[in-house]
Amino acid sequence: MGHAARRLYSSAAARVAVSTSHLKRFPPNEATARTAKASFAPETWATLQPPPPSALMAFSHRIGLANILTAPASVQRACTHKSFLDLHAKYYPLSPAPCTNANLAALGNALMGLFTTEHLHASYPHLPTRVLKAAVSAHVGPLTCASVAQEMGAVPLLRWHRQPTTPTSPALLHTDALASIPRALTALVYQERSLASARKFVNSFFLSRKIDLRAMLKFRDPKRALMETVAKFQRERPKSRILKETGRFSNSPIFVVGIYSGADKLGEGFGSSLKMAEYRAAEDALHRLYLTKTPSHLLQLPSSTFGENANIFRAASETPYTPGELGEMEVLYASSGRSGVIAPKRPIQEKEVV
């Protein structure tokens, strides 16, 4: 066995999706021909080979879509990125171009954004717009889609080709190509079944994950933001009250401060100084407002009006729908530390010692 043939066997064995048993000829002619030995690249040849049908069908069963993705060609299309066309046309110019997931990924990306946005907006009606966009990216963004595809076991089935940066487009990385697979699968479920089935697929793989929304809410001056928010709701001015303290004259004092609007307690915080405790109490009050969550049994989604086999182009609604109340989604002052708007001066927040 020559050096080129040994490299070919080792390269094919390194790629899980390439099985020599389903190939028509192995090794190929270009690997054994004397004139092509010098220019033959085993890694490129292994990349060009389609995954075996058994691996494609095993993937559809593993993700629970065996009843929808019944043909290996549909799974192979969902795992073929559009960048693979350039590589295929370079080495096989006379062969027909394979089907890619370009259109499916675009449709699936829109569907995933729709399902995630309505779910977050219905669950957290007071969530600020900037935080809502960040939460949508955290749930169904490119990095999350690539991570989910890796958990699905789609890495060996991906067919793509790395592309450098151009004046019109950024560089194509492996995570970008891998992220197209869950998007294409979402579009296939929508095409083969219904909108409700696609929403269930996204709920199972993406929306069921826990995202720390509290860490996304940052305020440069929470006391000022709280005063603006309380004035927006036409409530009494917030007042700080010391609830508990210990070690005031020691090296490690602890203060617990609560912020009240009238008789209602808005938030509570602690710290080694009154200023720190008051800062945390104001931040806690803002978190309690903007992270107010709708109970799951009261959650209503606009896309839930369509049944399993409903046609979205028909005027009739399949399921009764009661829209939820729109929340106050904007922070007037210093949301996420990016706002440079100078708010009008207001009276200083009052403090009380209890």
Side-chain angles (χ1 to χ4, degrees):
M1 182 183 295
H3 176 68
R6 287 197 299 269
R7 285 188 60 195
L8 178 62
Y9 277 106
S10 60
S11 301
R15 294 185 59 87
V16 182
V18 177
S19 175
T20 58
S21 60
H22 80 283
L23 299 176
K24 295 181 179 179
R25 178 178 175 79
F26 187 84
N29 294 330
E30 54 268 27
T32 57
R34 295 182 179 180
T35 58
K37 282 184 179 180
S39 60
F40 179 74
E43 293 82 3
T44 304
W45 177 87
T47 303
L48 290 169
Q49 304 311 307
S54 58
L56 297 174
M57 297 311 300
F59 173 74
S60 65
H61 281 78
R62 184 164 58 249
I63 61 177
L65 299 180
N67 296 330
I68 299 176
L69 305 177
T70 56
S74 59
V75 184
Q76 183 173 337
R77 179 188 177 187
C79 298
T80 304
H81 193 261
K82 64 178 181 179
S83 61
F84 182 75
L85 294 178
D86 297 335
L87 184 65
H88 186 272
K90 179 180 179 181
Y91 289 91
Y92 301 104
L94 302 179
S95 301
C99 297
T100 65
N101 62 6
N103 295 333
L104 293 175
L107 175 60
N109 186 38
L111 290 172
M112 294 168 70
L114 167 66
F115 299 145
T116 308
T117 302
E118 68 173 1
H119 176 79
L120 289 175
H121 181 56
S123 300
Y124 302 94
H126 301 284
L127 199 65
T129 305
R130 185 175 296 165
V131 182
L132 178 65
K133 294 179 179 179
V136 171
S137 299
H139 274 290
V140 294
L143 295 179
T144 304
C145 289
S147 177
V148 171
Q150 188 173 7
E151 295 175 2
M152 290 178 175
V155 176
L157 306 179
L158 176 64
R159 306 175 77 190
W160 73 294
H161 180 56
R162 189 182 301 273
Q163 294 179 351
T165 304
T166 63
T168 58
S169 61
L172 177 66
L173 304 179
H174 182 258
T175 54
D176 301 327
L178 195 61
S180 65
I181 296 181
R183 296 169 179 170
L185 293 175
T186 303
L188 285 175
V189 174
Y190 168 71
Q191 289 183 350
E192 298 296 331
R193 287 296 185 265
S194 63
L195 190 70
S197 299
R199 187 176 64 249
K200 290 181 180 179
F201 176 79
V202 175
N203 287 339
S204 300
F205 285 93
F206 293 93
L207 299 183
S208 59
R209 298 168 179 261
K210 300 298 182 182
I211 302 296
D212 187 10
L213 297 177
R214 191 180 184 91
M216 297 182 182
L217 276 170
K218 299 295 183 181
F219 304 95
R220 184 172 57 191
D221 190 350
K223 293 169 57 178
R224 182 91 174 259
L226 180 61
M227 293 188 65
E228 298 289 341
T229 304
V230 170
K232 180 175 62 175
F233 286 100
Q234 299 179 357
R235 302 287 298 273
E236 295 185 23
R237 262 199 332 248
K239 298 180 180 179
S240 301
R241 300 175 183 175
I242 299 179
L243 303 181
K244 296 178 182 179
E245 66 170 288
T246 181
R248 178 185 286 264
F249 300 104
S250 66
N251 293 330
S252 55
I254 296 295
F255 300 94
V256 179
V257 173
I259 292 185
Y260 291 81
S261 175
D264 298 329
K265 182 179 177 181
L266 303 180
E268 182 178 320
F270 70 96
S272 57
S273 64
L274 290 174
K275 187 176 181 180
M276 180 186 297
E278 194 176 11
Y279 181 97
R280 290 177 175 175
E283 194 174 37
D284 179 61
L286 292 172
H287 285 161
R288 290 173 182 268
L289 169 63
Y290 293 114
L291 296 181
T292 301
K293 187 175 182 180
T294 304
S296 57
H297 65 281
L298 299 178
L299 193 64
Q300 289 283 341
L301 302 177
S303 63
S304 63
T305 57
F306 302 104
E308 288 291 336
N309 300 316
N311 188 346
I312 63 175
F313 298 103
R314 293 178 182 175
S317 178
E318 296 290 338
T319 306
Y321 170 68
T322 303
E325 295 183 1
L326 295 179
E328 296 289 342
M329 299 180 60
E330 294 302 326
V331 182
L332 294 182
Y333 175 75
S335 173
S336 300
R338 298 182 181 179
S339 176
V341 179
I342 300 178
K345 293 184 178 180
R346 292 186 178 274
I348 301 176
Q349 185 173 326
E350 299 181 5
K351 299 181 182 180
E352 292 184 1
V353 179
V354 179

